[in-house]
Amino acid sequence: MSDVVEIRAPAEQTEGTRSQILRWLKSVGQEVVADEPLIEIETDKVTVEVAAPGSGTLREILKQEQEEIAPGELLGRIDAIGVGKAPAARSPEANRVDSAATAAVAVSTAGGGAPAAADVGGLPAGQPGQPASLSPAVRRLLAEHGLEPNSVRGSGQGGRITVEDVLQHVRASGVANKPPTQGIRDVQSGGSRPSTVSSPAPSAVEIRGEIHRVPHSAVRKRIAEHMVHSLLHTAPHVTTVFEANLTAVLAHRERHREEFARQGAPLTLTAYFLQAAVTAIRAVPEANSRWTDTALEIFDSVHIGVATALESGLVVPVLHEVHSRDLRQTAEGLNDLVSRAREGRLTPSDMRGGTFTISNHGVSGSLIATPIVINQPQAAILGIGKLERRAIVVEEPSKPEGRIAIEPRCYVTLTIDHRVMDGQQANRFLQVFVQRLESYPA
């Protein structure tokens, strides 16, 4: 009599998000080892791995790739009769899944691809270097640089390839990004292949030249849904714009940058923006709230989401308890959070519980933007434009006409849920925010 081990989705999930199966790393009938990565699950913003809860043979898969799942939902079962033995009798559904997988292998072989059981890139199927067991971030990096998995030495558990392994290989070998090849292609994680699905033309106008078809990732679909939902169906948006003089901030940063760096807290301008946002929130508490049908819920604690642009899309990891952090602690927390976002190491808890959001869009050259409140049910999002030196007329009592000065300035915008705040409150918020930035000691 064999034991059956259930595979379930993580019980915890970010409030208001949805999860789906991104990829099974094993097929029905394959051996699994306890605690090895078995499934990749994608939420709105992050991808997490589910480890095998026991050793044995993957008996059945109940939730397929791209299917949405609920916290704690049963995803599959492992037959723990012992590695190497034949799997126990499977349900009709599992047999249908197995048949579909066999048919898919036949189609792939007919099209020139290798069957799933064959070696891939010199590695046996199911081994750590095989594309099926690579994280999305690793697959993306390998594809960008035209690398085969077996060319990179893995340092992770069981020899798995990590993001740092790929970056180290690129730095050591000087591999350059390879552009897409000719033809119409589906650009997918781990490489590209000729598209076999015809797409309807976007218009009657013929497009000359090559077309590269990039299927929407689950993250990009979620971002699109949130944008449309927030703008058209939930919150009426209003944006106000101020200009901030960053002379004091830059001088303060120059004096303390080396000291902070020695303490493991690289001092970025974003750290100053978060500190100033807390001051402004204390002056206008409604900016740190959420609208409900019966009341406005204002939060005492300040947890700020920091919009971070990645190649796969926008993520908004949350720096918690900003109200209780000083400038050094804020810089330290930001460095950790943003680094892990860019390395693909965010966890669901990193995305949970934001009460306010900052988008520093100026890092990519934007002067003014009006970000949408993408993180419902938050009430406001702060936008920071590009820092640049501008000629400014400075008022002086001794000179009625004023004088011209060159100052480092940027535009700051606050987009609000108009149900929560009016323009006067939004203006007050930015007034306090700017004053805080301009008041650092000389």
Side-chain angles (χ1 to χ4, degrees):
M1 186 85 180
S2 63
D3 293 327
V4 175
V5 179
E6 293 184 340
I7 308 164
R8 292 190 174 273
E12 291 189 359
Q13 182 172 315
T14 304
E15 182 181 355
T17 66
R18 291 178 291 178
S19 298
Q20 68 178 28
I21 299 288
L22 179 64
R23 183 173 293 99
W24 280 87
L25 305 180
K26 295 284 187 177
S27 302
V28 171
Q30 283 191 314
E31 299 171 353
V32 298
V33 178
D35 297 326
E36 75 169 326
L38 182 59
I39 315 170
E40 287 180 351
I41 292 178
E42 187 174 52
T43 69
D44 288 16
K45 299 294 184 184
V46 298
T47 300
V48 296
E49 289 181 342
V50 174
S55 299
T57 305
L58 183 57
R59 174 176 181 169
E60 57 183 332
I61 292 175
L62 301 178
K63 299 293 288 188
Q64 303 303 310
E65 294 180 358
Q66 310 307 317
E67 282 193 55
E68 291 196 2
I69 58 175
E73 184 174 0
L74 181 62
L75 308 180
R77 295 184 176 91
I78 294 173
D79 192 341
I81 60 175
V83 176
K85 296 184 180 181
R90 300 195 299 271
S91 67
E93 174 61 24
N95 289 329
R96 285 195 295 272
V97 171
D98 207 19
S99 299
T102 303
V105 169
V107 171
S108 175
T109 306
D119 286 1
V120 179
L123 294 171
Q127 293 302 310
Q130 184 180 349
S133 65
L134 300 175
S135 72
V138 170
R139 281 192 299 274
R140 185 172 64 251
L141 281 174
L142 291 172
E144 284 176 4
H145 297 286
L147 296 173
E148 292 295 332
N150 62 350
S151 68
V152 179
R153 181 181 296 276
S155 63
Q157 181 180 5
R160 297 194 73 198
I161 299 172
T162 66
V163 169
E164 185 55 37
D165 292 333
V166 180
L167 295 176
Q168 175 107 16
H169 180 87
V170 171
R171 286 192 293 265
S173 60
V175 177
N177 291 351
K178 291 188 176 181
T181 55
Q182 58 185 347
I184 299 178
R185 296 186 176 273
D186 279 325
V187 182
Q188 300 181 347
S189 297
S192 60
R193 60 179 176 82
S195 175
T196 57
V197 180
S198 59
S199 300
S203 68
V205 178
E206 180 181 354
I207 306 298
R208 296 178 180 271
E210 296 179 355
I211 300 174
H212 303 284
R213 184 173 177 272
V214 184
H216 298 307
S217 67
V219 171
R220 176 51 56 188
K221 289 178 181 178
R222 296 290 190 270
I223 291 174
E225 290 172 3
H226 287 320
M227 290 287 188
V228 173
H229 179 75
S230 178
L231 183 61
L232 299 181
H233 304 294
T234 303
H237 290 68
V238 172
T239 299
T240 185
V241 183
F242 274 52
E243 190 176 22
N245 180 357
L246 298 185
T247 299
V249 165
L250 292 177
H252 187 274
R253 178 172 178 250
E254 186 62 30
R255 288 195 305 275
H256 296 279
R257 180 158 48 182
E258 291 186 5
E259 172 194 348
F260 277 46
R262 286 194 300 268
Q263 299 175 24
L267 188 53
T268 64
L269 293 180
T270 304
Y272 289 93
F273 298 145
L274 264 69
Q275 288 282 292
V278 172
T279 303
I281 284 170
R282 292 305 183 223
V284 185
E286 293 85 354
N288 195 53
S289 70
R290 66 182 174 190
W291 173 273
T292 72
D293 290 339
T294 57
L296 182 65
E297 297 179 347
I298 299 177
F299 306 106
D300 289 333
S301 300
V302 181
H303 312 295
I304 300 182
V306 182
T308 305
L310 306 177
E311 293 181 5
S312 58
L314 185 73
V315 296
V316 188
V318 178
L319 187 62
H320 295 96
E321 308 291 340
V322 185
H323 62 281
S324 64
R325 298 173 183 256
D326 59 21
L327 183 61
R328 186 196 62 77
Q329 292 167 334
T330 298
E332 185 178 40
L334 269 177
N335 179 60
D336 171 68
L337 201 62
V338 174
S339 295
R340 288 191 291 110
R342 290 171 177 164
E343 294 169 3
R345 296 190 293 111
L346 289 176
T347 65
S349 62
D350 292 323
M351 313 297 295
R352 184 181 296 126
T355 60
F356 186 81
T357 298
I358 291 181
S359 175
N360 191 359
H361 55 85
V363 297
S364 58
S366 170
L367 292 177
I368 300 177
T370 57
I372 295 173
V373 184
I374 59 174
N375 284 334
Q376 292 293 337
Q378 293 178 21
I381 181 169
L382 180 68
I384 310 294
K386 176 184 177 182
L387 170 64
E388 61 179 6
R389 298 192 177 277
R390 299 173 190 152
I392 303 296
V393 177
V394 179
E395 301 289 343
E396 288 189 352
S398 60
K399 294 183 178 180
E401 70 279 7
R403 64 177 176 87
I404 302 296
I406 305 298
E407 297 177 349
R409 293 194 168 228
C410 69
Y411 295 110
V412 293
T413 60
L414 186 70
T415 300
I416 62 171
D417 181 343
H418 210 342
R419 299 172 303 173
V420 174
M421 289 184 285
D422 297 324
Q424 180 181 0
Q425 293 164 300
N427 288 340
R428 173 62 178 159
F429 179 99
L430 285 186
Q431 184 181 46
V432 174
F433 178 79
V434 169
Q435 288 174 349
R436 179 70 180 92
L437 294 175
E438 296 178 350
S439 65
Y440 276 89

